[in-house]
Amino acid sequence: MKLCPVNSKILRQLWSVVEQTQTSTLLGLDDADLVQQLLQQIDSTLSNEEVYTLSSYIFSRTNLIRDLAIARGV
C-alpha cells in the first residue's frame, strides 16, 4: 500500500494525544498495542490510507514516544 502524506492537523493531534496519555500506558504497552491505543484516540474520520500512513509513522516514533514519557515521569 502506498503511503500518503499525513497533514499537520493530524500530526498535532497525535502529539497532543501522546502528551495527554498516561506515562504508564505509553511505557507499558508493546509497540503494536501502543500504536493501536494512540490511533483509537485520533479523529476517526481518517481514510484507510491515512490510518496506514499514521500507523507507520507512530511505529517509527515509538522510541521517541517512550523517551518523552520517561522524561515526563522524572
Side-chain angles (χ1 to χ4, degrees):
M1 182 175 270
K2 182 182 121 183
L3 291 179
C4 67
V6 179
N7 71 41
S8 59
K9 177 185 173 193
I10 295 170
L11 288 177
R12 281 192 303 273
Q13 187 176 10
L14 167 66
W15 289 106
S16 176
V17 165
V18 169
E19 286 296 317
Q20 294 171 12
T21 302
Q22 291 184 356
T23 300
S24 60
T25 301
L26 296 174
L27 297 176
L29 297 172
D30 64 29
D31 288 354
D33 289 336
L34 176 60
V35 171
Q36 287 305 310
Q37 175 74 23
L38 295 174
L39 281 175
Q40 288 174 357
Q41 297 178 61
I42 301 293
D43 183 7
S44 62
T45 61
L46 300 177
S47 70
N48 289 339
E49 292 82 13
E50 288 172 320
V51 169
Y52 179 79
T53 302
L54 189 56
S55 294
S56 297
Y57 177 84
I58 297 169
F59 264 115
S60 72
R61 302 302 191 282
T62 55
N63 287 335
L64 174 59
I65 290 168
R66 289 193 177 98
D67 285 348
L68 291 170
I70 291 168
R72 191 171 68 196
V74 172

